[in-house]
Amino acid sequence: MYLTINQTAEYLNLPVHEIQRLIRENQIRIVTVDDEILIYQEQFNLFLKEMEKKKRERDEFLSTPIPEDPDIKDED
């Protein structure tokens, strides 16, 4: 199923300019039919899954504690 930019923004609860930015940055692919930009819904769902995966990996990395450096000595 193909969605227009406005339909995609409504579907994702995002502003239209955010969808346009993703298109400009080639993060999502589009199809142009008679001067109308269409986005394949399944491709966009795949993009969202990948973004969620990257976010989880980033959060996991940031939540990992920094190990103590064995060379640091407490010299008070």
Side-chain angles (χ1 to χ4, degrees):
M1 181 173 164
Y2 289 90
L3 302 173
T4 64
I5 293 177
N6 291 333
Q7 291 170 332
T8 304
E10 186 176 310
Y11 172 72
L12 299 172
N13 293 325
L14 290 174
V16 173
H17 67 84
E18 184 68 19
I19 304 299
Q20 292 169 337
R21 181 187 65 80
L22 293 172
I23 292 170
R24 269 194 317 273
E25 293 176 358
N26 293 323
Q27 293 188 15
I28 56 173
R29 286 182 271 159
I30 60 169
V31 175
T32 306
V33 178
D34 296 330
D35 296 330
E36 185 174 16
I37 297 173
L38 300 174
I39 301 166
Y40 187 56
Q41 185 176 4
E42 288 303 314
Q43 183 268 329
F44 200 74
N45 288 337
L46 177 63
F47 169 76
L48 289 176
K49 287 179 187 176
E50 288 296 317
M51 294 304 290
E52 288 173 8
K53 179 181 172 187
K54 288 179 183 180
K55 183 181 178 198
R56 278 194 310 270
E57 290 173 354
R58 182 182 144 270
D59 291 344
E60 184 178 309
F61 174 76
L62 292 175
S63 67
T64 304
I66 299 173
E68 293 268 339
D69 187 3
D71 294 336
I72 295 178
K73 295 181 180 160
D74 188 22
E75 298 180 13
D76 284 334

